[in-house]
Amino acid sequence: MGSIQEGPPLEGLPPAGGRRWPPAGRVLLTLLLLGLLLSFSVLLGYIFGNCGPRPCTSPVCLDLAAHYLAWGNSSVAPCHDFSSFACGKAARGIIHSFQALEEENKGRLRRILEAPASWPPGSGEEKAVHFYNSCMDTAAIEAAGAGPLRQVIEQLGGWQVSGNWTAFDFNRTLALLMGQYDYFPFFRAYLQPHPTSSQPPVIQIGQPEFDVPLKQEKEQKIYAQMVREYLAYLNQLGALLGGAPAKVQEHAGLSISITSQLCQFLRPPEQQRAQVVTIAQLQEMAPAIDWLSCLQAAFTPMSLNPSQPVTVHDLEYLRNMSHLLRMQRREFLQSHMILGLVGSLSPALDSKFQKARRELSQKLWVLMERPPVPQRPRWMKCVDETGAFFEPTLAALFIRDAFGPRVQRAAMDLFASIKDSLLARLHRVYWMNEEVRREAQDQVTRLQVKMGAPEWMLEPELATQGYPEVQVGGSFLLRFLSCVRALRARKIRGFLQPSPHPSWRVYPWGVNTYYSLTHHTVIFPAGLLQPPLFHPGYPRAVNFGAAGTIMAHEMLHTFYQLLLPGGCTACDTPALEKALLCLERHYAAIPLPRGVSFNHLRVHGPLSNTRAFARHFSCPWGAPMNPSSRCQLW
Ligand SMILES: *[C@@H]1O[C@H](CO)[C@@H](O)[C@H](O)[C@H]1NC(C)=O
Ligand SMILES: *[C@@H]1O[C@H](CO)[C@@H](O)[C@H](O)[C@H]1NC(C)=O
Ligand SMILES: *[C@@H]1O[C@H](CO)[C@@H](O)[C@H](O)[C@H]1NC(C)=O
Ligand SMILES: CC(=O)N[C@H]1CO[C@H](CO)[C@@H](O)[C@@H]1O
């Protein structure tokens, strides 16, 4: 949270150094936390046929039953491998079902955006629909070709390679890129709230994120291939903009050399040391950049002066970067900035630019031995872009369509019941003394919950006047850029006038939940509380087993600290350690067939630890789902 720069990533390529999964230790701890959650959504298939409290006859319920019946594989013995018994035919497993739900939600947004409706002129809804339609109008985008992009380049001072270069000052082009295009080629500048609140936010300056991480420490052969692919891509961009091949080649080569050298200056976070300096001091330390004018352009309407303090995360990088820039000829710096910008704008360009970028990312994935990312259909890309730019409007539309008061009330009730049962359960946790127990109960009692969408997004004024900067006419690229500016302005405004309702890290139509330590709040977006995970018309057992498990999971994050080594000095540490060790062994003993993932553990861990499960399925003693000993943590 807090960053206001989100450069458009190369499709499917993770940010440099990004991690896709938490380290194994954390996963294990999460599993342990969940050690005694009693239910899991895969139980539902069974619950349906048997012990639902009321007959499943409503259409939503019948739909769900069909869903589970289609997923299960009844030729597997439940006492042996319940995960396969309940989900064996779900082609890509449980993770895929979350992805499917997310796509379903986007499909709902698509239907809303495409439905014939007349929105008040100038309203957020009208602007969002216009933007979406213009994104879908590929005929117009193709017909315009590189024309709109050439205009943008002219505004940036032109490009020697494909037209006139008006010899703009380097600093002027950079300030425009940062302020008008949200593009930061040499460093990243973003805002964070002031550490002691109430004060204005603090500008942070860190290392940039690169499209293609050209770090030489990779195997020399792979590095050379990456450079080759990247060069081919930049040459293609130059050709699409009408540059002469030899000239393009020269400028593209130098741009890659700049990127590669900047990448050598990058250091891992643990080697960086944040420090506060004034803009004037920074100017002395890294003189190649006109910091005051560039930062002013990026953070208007904040008003900056040379004595403004900024937090610098890696001064060494900035020094080396500045030194490098001073050695370059101005026209090559201009080319480097233009080529980078064109790459970052590809979502808004015609199919030739998009194809070039897609091919680059596919080749890089192969080189990095990562599985390919399937291409998303156009409508989904357009829904994603519209959602990013018009989040409050789409949030309100989604909530109106899919998370009305009745659904919200039912979800809140579910949460309250789980909270009550957790509080009751804390009385029986034997490794807590009375003091710890009271603290734990207090933690749970104070825990806040937010569901659906952030409150501020649903305020009606926002829908009518939320996007003053957004332009409705002109090419798709121009609209896209006006949205980039509007989003930037909205985020800066959000920092300058902090709302009592904090922003969320997830979209309201997304399916990811989280616990915010700073606000002691758990967040459940409306997108998650949907069929097949939740519906007020489902049998209670289903809602408890699916959405309820996820709620309980987030609730238990409040105790994360307690379970870390040394995290609870007042606890009966030997008893706690014994319980944790027991769970560790319990999980270690679960056989993991080839090709199955943590999900298999997530199902078998808690269920085989539950006597009621074995009793219900009459599992023979010693079967995988009825082990000879069990553990109790909670
Ligand atoms: C169902 O389970 C059986 C027994 O393990 C297995 O042979 C079969 O391939 C499974 N069917 C499907 C569709 O996965
Ligand atoms: C370059 O500038 C000249 C004179 O200012 C103008 O006639 C010409 O059209 C420009 N070329 C491009 C490609 O913009
Ligand atoms: C950018 O501005 C700074 C400060 O005025 C100046 O020192 C630097 O030379 C300029 N950079 C370039 C490449 O012109
Ligand atoms: C990677 C790299 O070239 N780092 C250099 C950055 O600048 C310092 C001097 O300020 C050099 O010592 C580093 O080698």
Side-chain angles (χ1 to χ4, degrees):
M1 245 201 329
S3 161
I4 66 158
Q5 192 214 349
E6 286 155 26
L10 203 53
E11 190 168 313
L13 203 65
R19 257 203 213 106
R20 307 199 71 203
W21 298 104
R26 238 185 82 198
V27 174
L28 184 63
L29 184 57
T30 309
L31 289 173
L32 293 180
L33 273 170
L34 294 179
L36 257 178
L37 283 181
L38 297 183
S39 41
F40 197 77
S41 61
V42 293
L43 251 179
L44 308 180
Y46 177 75
I47 287 167
F48 262 100
N50 301 270
C51 54
R54 52 184 141 122
C56 179
T57 50
S58 68
V60 282
C61 193
L62 290 172
D63 261 8
L64 183 66
H67 201 77
Y68 280 114
L69 286 177
W71 273 11
N73 181 352
S74 54
S75 28
V76 180
C79 294
H80 188 76
D81 176 0
F82 190 76
S83 169
S84 303
F85 170 76
C87 291
K89 286 197 221 143
R92 284 187 281 153
I94 298 166
I95 291 291
H96 173 68
S97 68
F98 283 97
Q99 208 177 315
L101 176 55
E102 182 148 23
E103 286 172 13
E104 182 84 22
N105 293 339
K106 287 179 186 170
R108 191 189 278 264
L109 286 175
R110 176 193 190 182
R111 286 194 298 279
I112 296 172
L113 289 165
E114 290 181 357
S118 56
W119 300 106
S123 64
E125 290 94 339
E126 191 201 43
K127 286 182 177 173
V129 169
H130 272 294
F131 177 82
Y132 174 80
N133 287 338
S134 144
C135 179
M136 290 300 283
D137 188 356
T138 46
I141 295 172
E142 295 304 318
L149 184 56
R150 285 210 193 87
Q151 280 173 20
V152 166
I153 294 174
E154 286 302 312
Q155 283 158 17
L156 286 168
W159 191 27
Q160 201 190 27
V161 173
S162 75
N164 293 329
W165 183 45
T166 49
F168 250 36
D169 175 39
F170 160 80
N171 286 298
R172 190 166 153 200
T173 303
L174 181 59
L176 279 172
L177 286 178
M178 291 169 60
Q180 302 288 304
Y181 299 90
D182 202 15
Y183 179 61
F184 295 73
F186 303 115
F187 53 87
R188 208 160 79 87
Y190 55 101
L191 293 178
Q192 260 180 12
H194 195 279
T196 56
S197 188
S198 75
Q199 304 259 8
V202 183
I203 295 175
Q204 314 282 315
I205 298 175
Q207 299 180 345
E209 280 160 3
F210 292 99
D211 253 11
V212 179
L214 287 178
K215 198 117 169 125
Q216 233 155 4
E217 71 200 27
K218 291 195 189 350
E219 248 184 88
Q220 194 55 39
K221 199 171 131 226
I222 294 183
Y223 174 79
Q225 269 171 308
M226 282 173 80
V227 167
R228 215 164 22 244
E229 298 301 352
Y230 194 28
L231 185 61
Y233 170 66
L234 294 186
N235 277 330
Q236 242 176 314
L237 293 189
L240 288 172
L241 281 163
K247 188 119 190 167
V248 172
Q249 174 89 12
E250 182 194 8
H251 284 246
L254 269 144
S255 172
I256 286 182
S257 139
I258 294 174
T259 304
S260 167
Q261 290 180 73
L262 288 176
C263 284
Q264 308 317 314
F265 301 151
L266 297 180
R267 293 189 300 176
E270 59 274 14
Q271 284 176 26
Q272 301 179 23
R273 197 170 55 87
Q275 60 196 99
V276 178
V277 298
T278 64
I279 292 182
Q281 287 168 328
L282 181 58
Q283 190 61 52
E284 274 177 32
M285 295 184 268
I289 305 252
D290 182 349
W291 291 97
L292 184 59
S293 71
C294 287
L295 293 176
Q296 182 61 69
F299 297 111
T300 301
M302 282 171 84
S303 164
L304 307 182
N305 62 59
S307 53
Q308 168 87 28
V310 296
T311 301
V312 165
H313 290 262
D314 188 1
L315 194 51
E316 176 101 347
Y317 169 83
L318 295 180
R319 281 208 173 103
N320 289 350
M321 178 270 294
S322 172
H323 185 69
L324 174 69
L325 296 195
R326 302 202 102 179
M327 314 283 288
Q328 307 298 320
R329 295 212 336 243
R330 287 240 304 277
E331 67 259 42
F332 292 131
L333 286 178
Q334 180 78 1
S335 292
H336 178 70
M337 292 190 284
I338 299 284
L339 286 169
L341 177 71
V342 172
S344 84
L345 290 180
S346 12
L349 301 177
D350 74 20
S351 60
K352 299 194 198 77
F353 286 92
Q354 296 197 29
K355 180 161 169 279
R357 199 164 173 84
R358 195 165 57 244
E359 284 170 1
L360 172 65
S361 65
Q362 278 162 355
K363 285 179 178 144
L364 293 177
W365 278 95
V366 171
L367 282 177
M368 292 192 266
E369 294 179 352
R370 301 243 170 83
V373 172
Q375 206 197 329
R376 287 170 304 152
R378 177 89 196 169
W379 70 262
M380 206 185 282
K381 289 186 197 173
C382 292
V383 164
D384 284 344
E385 300 288 357
T386 313
F389 292 137
F390 299 90
E391 183 182 358
T393 298
L394 262 58
L397 291 169
F398 187 82
I399 295 284
R400 206 179 304 160
D401 203 59
F403 199 67
R406 176 168 161 256
V407 186
Q408 163 129 21
R409 235 182 351 261
M412 283 301 218
D413 286 350
L414 177 64
F415 185 84
S417 321
I418 294 171
K419 194 163 157 177
D420 287 347
S421 92
L422 178 58
L423 282 171
R425 190 133 196 147
L426 284 175
H427 283 292
R428 286 188 280 145
V429 177
Y430 57 93
W431 45 267
M432 289 182 175
N433 67 13
E434 277 316 307
E435 185 199 336
V436 178
R437 196 185 317 278
R438 263 198 310 279
E439 254 171 54
Q441 281 167 335
D442 182 53
Q443 283 261 17
V444 176
T445 311
R446 281 189 301 107
L447 182 67
Q448 299 284 308
V449 57
K450 301 275 179 208
M451 289 184 186
E455 284 107 330
W456 65 268
M457 288 196 181
L458 306 178
E459 285 165 12
E461 306 87 73
L462 204 66
T464 48
Q465 350 151 345
Y467 313 94
E469 299 89 347
V470 168
Q471 179 183 330
V472 279
S475 66
F476 177 57
L477 179 61
L478 290 185
R479 293 177 198 221
F480 180 89
L481 287 170
S482 78
C483 288
V484 168
R485 286 191 268 279
L487 180 59
R488 214 185 142 71
R490 192 168 80 231
K491 286 186 177 173
I492 294 176
R493 280 199 299 271
F495 274 101
L496 295 179
Q497 311 146 10
S499 126
H501 310 296
S503 296
W504 291 9
R505 294 201 311 244
V506 291
Y507 286 119
W509 52 90
V511 297
N512 294 315
T513 58
Y514 69 99
Y515 164 63
S516 157
L517 187 66
T518 32
H519 300 105
H520 193 46
T521 301
V522 283
I523 307 281
F524 301 100
L528 179 87
L529 298 167
Q530 300 294 323
L533 298 179
F534 183 79
H535 192 281
Y538 284 169
R540 269 165 67 83
V542 173
N543 286 334
F544 270 99
T549 306
I550 299 166
M551 290 178 180
H553 173 118
E554 293 305 332
M555 248 180 244
L556 286 182
H557 276 302
T558 50
F559 299 139
Y560 192 82
Q561 215 54 36
L562 208 62
L563 296 190
L564 290 175
C568 178
T569 44
C571 289
D572 179 348
T573 311
L576 173 58
E577 278 174 1
K578 199 168 156 219
L580 288 173
L581 190 67
C582 175
L583 277 171
E584 225 176 295
R585 294 207 176 113
H586 176 78
Y587 277 94
I590 296 172
L592 272 187
R594 210 161 45 86
V596 301
S597 64
F598 276 119
N599 293 316
H600 190 82
L601 282 181
R602 284 191 180 124
V603 175
H604 288 183
L607 292 184
S608 62
N609 200 33
T610 308
R611 260 175 233 290
F613 176 89
R615 207 163 41 234
H616 211 98
F617 284 88
S618 311
C619 296
W621 193 79
M625 299 303 290
N626 189 11
S628 50
S629 65
R630 293 190 168 79
C631 313
Q632 193 191 337
L633 178 61
W634 298 109

